[in-house]
Amino acid sequence: MTSTEQQRTHTSFDPAAMDTGAFYRVLNSVVVPRPIAWVCSRSADGVHNLAPHSFYTVACVDPPVVQFTSVGRKDSLRNVEATGEFTVNLTPEALFEQVNATATDFPPHTSEAEQAGVRLEPADTVQAMRVAESPVSIECVLHATLRLGDSTVVLGRVQHISVWADAVRDGRPRIEHLKPLARLGGNEWATIGEVREIARIPHRRWTEDPSIGEAVRRREDQGS
């Protein structure tokens, strides 16, 4: 054990002993970075809503399903429940201020996209619009919702994905062309920064070549 490990102490955060908002801020600061679902939905009256949700990930591969969480009953959730469809648009670095502006608590009849100067265009397979200046749009129909306390998980069955052609190479979208934003804690955001690439190690190789494990453990010791 190194001297650094011996001296290291921890600060504890107990959700049962803390105010909900205070613990939420801690949770948001440690589950990082988080991708952002820029959800475009349409109300039953035809008003288009655009809002960023940073509780977002892939839920299933077959069938393809993505999920985002509405903390409280937001317009995105109400619209998806009413119309059964939505798009998830990638939040590119170039639209940083516009993405943030669409998180403003505008009243339900107001178009966030219009207020923030974000151009929408028709999607390919659903009635909800997509963000014209976003390099990726995932078109979804509602698969299911799951209520958890004060939040609702929205599961969207992916119908179609459209990606700018110049962002695709060798059959898949490339991160250097997408340049997505990510959410951190508080008012902090992040860009992709340095991109590192490493292949997974099959167990067979790990077993056959002991130097692989030795090298990994050595790097851990150097980082302590």
Side-chain angles (χ1 to χ4, degrees), residues 39-51 75-76 78-80 82-83 85-86 106-115 120 127-129:
V39 177
C40 191
S41 59
R42 181 177 55 89
S43 73
D45 297 329
V47 177
H48 294 282
N49 175 270
L50 181 63
D75 291 340
S76 298
R78 285 190 287 265
N79 290 350
V80 171
T83 65
E85 58 182 32
F86 59 97
F106 294 111
H109 63 276
T110 303
S111 168
E112 291 83 358
E114 183 177 335
Q115 293 294 319
L120 302 180
Q127 292 300 307
M129 303 285 271

Side-chain angles (χ1 to χ4, degrees), residues 60-121:
C60 184
V61 174
D62 186 14
V65 176
V66 296
Q67 70 178 62
F68 73 91
T69 298
S70 174
V71 180
R73 289 195 58 79
K74 305 290 179 62
D75 291 340
S76 298
L77 174 60
R78 285 190 287 265
N79 290 350
V80 171
E81 288 177 334
T83 65
E85 58 182 32
F86 59 97
T87 66
V88 175
N89 304 272
L90 182 139
T91 50
E93 184 179 339
L95 296 183
F96 177 36
E97 293 186 358
Q98 287 88 345
V99 174
N100 182 62
T102 57
T104 301
D105 56 344
F106 294 111
H109 63 276
T110 303
S111 168
E112 291 83 358
E114 183 177 335
Q115 293 294 319
V118 178
R119 185 167 64 89
L120 302 180
E121 65 182 15

Side-chain angles (χ1 to χ4, degrees), residues 12-20 22-24:
S12 296
F13 299 94
D14 181 356
M18 295 176 64
D19 174 77
T20 300
F23 192 79
Y24 174 77

